[in-house]
Amino acid sequence: DAKTTQPNSMESNEEEPVHLPCNHSTISGTDYIHWYRQLPSQGPEYVIHGLTSNVNNRMASLAIAEDRKSSTLILHRATLRDAAVYYCTQTGNQFYFGTGTSLTVIP
Amino acid sequence: DAGVIQSPRHEVTEMGQEVTLRCKPISGHDYLFWYRQTMMRGLELLIYFNNNVPIDDSGMPEDRFSAKMPNASFSTLKIQPSEPRDSAVYFCASSLWGRGYEQYFGPGTRLTVT
């Protein structure tokens, strides 16, 4: 089974950087790593994805370990609007989201 | 683009009744996914289609659940008969090519079975 593991919850102070970790112990060579977030009462929304190299976009940065067994989503300056559940996935034949990491941002 | 459209947004039904959830994917997307979300189990993939063909339905919990995609712009998820343990939020998502491309989720249908 293509599964990822994440901490259940994390806290961050507003305007501080946040590093959200994910373990991809069963990842295969062709699996992409995706990150999504889910705001309260909404469907998940795409944040970022990558294969081997670190990636940046307007929302966040994605750091991928050299062995690809772990990845880190980096929010450079957390805002109150970033409070959400963050999911990491690895794509194979099935998209496993799990229960994600609930991020609390403290004003 | 209107994004992924789901209907109804809320459904309340009695145990034993048939429930049909509907989804219109983003035009041009060739993958469609149905998910179920509960507090206990989180977000679970139920089934996905590629070019209207079911590819993996191993997440469908039992025979009471069925999904169809008669054309590229419409899919249904049916539960018959419904049970209280089916109460959840059901999401539809679509993507282009599937593997390396992001999924776009609909707003979800909140199903309550009493």
Side-chain angles (χ1 to χ4, degrees):
Chain A
D1 263 0
K3 292 190 176 180
T4 59
T5 54
Q6 301 176 253
N8 288 332
S9 61
M10 291 184 66
E11 285 187 352
S12 174
N13 293 320
E14 194 176 11
E15 299 191 2
E16 296 277 323
V18 182
H19 290 234
L20 298 163
C22 179
N23 288 324
H24 307 268
S25 58
T26 61
I27 198 166
S28 70
T30 57
D31 284 351
Y32 282 82
I33 294 169
H34 288 77
W35 282 81
Y36 292 81
R37 72 177 185 182
Q38 186 173 20
L39 301 171
S41 301
Q42 295 187 24
E45 65 173 338
Y46 165 83
V47 176
I48 199 167
H49 79 279
L51 185 61
T52 55
S53 303
N54 295 345
V55 183
N56 300 294
N57 66 19
R58 64 176 179 80
M59 291 180 71
S61 296
L62 174 61
I64 300 173
E66 194 169 336
D67 64 3
R68 304 210 322 125
K69 298 297 186 184
S70 66
S71 69
T72 302
L73 181 70
I74 303 166
L75 307 179
H76 296 286
R77 290 180 66 220
T79 70
L80 296 178
R81 288 174 296 178
D82 291 324
V85 178
Y86 287 79
Y87 300 95
C88 62
T89 74
Q90 57 195 46
T91 57
N93 289 323
Q94 197 164 25
F95 288 74
Y96 175 79
F97 278 73
T99 53
T101 297
S102 179
L103 176 65
T104 300
V105 180
I106 303 168
Chain B
D1 201 323
V4 175
I5 299 172
Q6 292 187 247
S7 65
R9 293 294 310 277
H10 302 273
E11 177 80 35
V12 180
T13 190
E14 292 183 347
M15 182 174 64
Q17 297 297 307
E18 176 181 304
V19 175
T20 299
L21 311 181
R22 298 172 177 80
C23 174
K24 177 179 170 56
I26 292 173
S27 177
H29 282 188
D30 57 352
Y31 280 80
L32 183 138
F33 308 85
W34 282 101
Y35 290 87
R36 177 174 67 176
Q37 186 171 43
T38 61
M39 289 292 292
M40 290 292 292
R41 300 174 67 88
L43 192 62
E44 303 174 283
L45 178 70
L46 299 177
I47 185 172
Y48 77 92
F49 296 81
N50 176 220
N51 291 324
N52 313 335
V53 176
I55 302 301
D56 185 350
D57 65 354
S58 60
M60 296 285 263
E62 49 196 276
D63 293 344
R64 296 185 297 107
F65 286 70
S66 62
K68 294 181 180 179
M69 192 165 185
N71 57 63
S73 59
F74 184 65
S75 177
T76 60
L77 179 67
K78 183 178 294 186
I79 308 172
Q80 180 184 22
S82 59
E83 296 182 2
R85 59 192 169 122
D86 301 330
S87 297
V89 180
Y90 291 82
F91 290 103
C92 175
S94 69
S95 77
L96 188 62
W97 290 9
R99 290 183 63 83
Y101 290 81
E102 60 265 33
Q103 297 177 72
Y104 292 83
F105 283 77
T109 296
R110 181 172 295 277
L111 173 65
T112 303
V113 183
T114 60

